[in-house]
Amino acid sequence: MGMPACRTADVAAGPLVLRIFPGADGATRVYEDAGDDLGYRDEEFSWTPVRTAWADDGSELTLTLGPTEGSFPGMLGARTVIVQLVGVPCPVVEEPSGASCSDTDGVPEVRIELAPGDLRRSVVIRLVFPTARPNS
């Protein structure tokens, strides 16, 4: 997880950490705002959809981020996304190029550096596993 913070504005510049567990396909949204004012009352916030889709045999995971909707003052342009994979081996990163996987304290992590504006469109992360996922 991320570093501890005293207030939400303290974590705004840190990486977006997504912890993915093996299992069924899923979807959620990540909410963000400035964290230090009442701008959310005036719709100064953003939502980033996150969708996961596993291949039937568990050999591949497709993670789709975005596109981000909305904005707020101080919103990050560029973003680091860390995908932590729980209970699965380190995958081969098929997309995006330049991303790689490393094992951090027994938890595989895929680190992806997104350029400014990348989340204004959908970003697809495709991970291929050397063996099928557990519980498949």
Side-chain angles (χ1 to χ4, degrees), residues 120-131:
R120 287 294 173 192
R121 58 180 172 74
S122 290
V123 174
V124 176
I125 301 163
R126 197 162 69 89
L127 308 174
V128 177
F129 297 89
T131 58

Side-chain angles (χ1 to χ4, degrees), residues 72-90:
F72 56 91
M75 185 172 168
L76 294 176
R79 195 70 191 257
T80 298
V81 176
I82 297 174
V83 178
Q84 294 180 336
L85 302 162
V86 179
V88 295
C90 222

Side-chain angles (χ1 to χ4, degrees), residues 12-66:
L16 174 61
V17 179
L18 302 172
R19 189 168 279 182
I20 307 293
F21 293 82
D25 299 348
T28 191
R29 296 187 307 165
V30 176
Y31 172 88
E32 294 181 279
D33 64 26
D36 60 359
D37 63 18
L38 300 177
Y40 67 91
R41 292 181 177 177
D42 296 320
E43 298 189 21
E44 293 177 355
F45 56 81
S46 70
W47 289 103
T48 302
V50 178
R51 292 178 299 285
T52 59
W54 289 92
D56 289 339
D57 65 357
S59 63
E60 185 174 314
L61 169 64
T62 302
L63 174 65
T64 306
L65 304 173

Side-chain angles (χ1 to χ4, degrees), residues 1-17:
M1 299 304 277
M3 297 297 295
C6 293
R7 55 192 195 119
T8 56
D10 293 342
V11 297
L16 174 61
V17 179

